[in-house]
Amino acid sequence: MFRIRVRGLPFEDLEFLSERLIRKLASLTDLPASLFTLEYEKSIYLSVAGASSGFPYFEISWLNSSPQLKPKIATSIEELVRTAVEPQHEIVVVFHDIDEQNYFKNGKHV
């Protein structure tokens, strides 16, 4: 299970990249693409100068996945998303590891 929350990227850009992104992550993890969910979050970034365009921010929640995959996934996201953002923008990827003991589906422990 991979739940990927994305903000700081226009919806149209994420929608355009979504199939390639999911297929790339499925390939890297050797899992079916159906286990990946992208969730778009509209956000407004504010700075001292007021509203700003912000930067792409990806939060990945996953179950017991290999720590060796994290850099590969982060690099793959950066390479794909970089084509849609200005060069000076950072692309941030944050991982949230979910302990299997804390994951339930339809009221049942998975």
Side-chain angles (χ1 to χ4, degrees):
M1 190 278 305
F2 285 75
R3 179 172 173 246
I4 305 167
R5 299 172 94 184
V6 183
R7 59 183 175 271
L9 188 66
F11 176 78
E12 296 77 19
D13 291 345
L14 180 61
E15 185 177 36
F16 178 76
L17 298 170
S18 64
E19 183 178 352
R20 284 185 287 162
L21 177 60
I22 289 171
R23 290 197 186 285
K24 177 65 176 179
L25 297 179
S27 172
L28 280 173
T29 58
D30 199 27
L31 293 169
S34 62
L35 293 180
F36 294 81
T37 302
L38 287 175
E39 179 182 336
Y40 174 75
E41 287 187 354
K42 183 176 177 157
S43 57
I44 299 172
Y45 290 83
L46 299 171
S47 67
V48 176
S52 76
S53 59
F55 54 89
Y57 192 94
F58 289 73
E59 287 184 81
I60 301 174
S61 297
W62 62 357
L63 288 171
N64 289 338
S65 294
S66 165
Q68 295 86 344
L69 280 176
K70 290 179 181 180
K72 292 177 184 176
I73 289 172
T75 299
S76 294
I77 289 172
E78 195 279 333
E79 289 172 351
L80 188 58
V81 174
R82 179 60 59 201
T83 63
V85 300
E86 296 179 27
Q88 72 273 16
H89 284 158
E90 295 176 331
I91 298 169
V92 174
V93 179
V94 176
F95 292 90
H96 299 285
D97 298 321
I98 301 171
D99 184 330
E100 282 185 13
Q101 295 176 357
N102 297 323
Y103 187 78
F104 293 77
K105 187 184 261 186
N106 297 325
K108 296 181 180 149
H109 190 267
V110 176

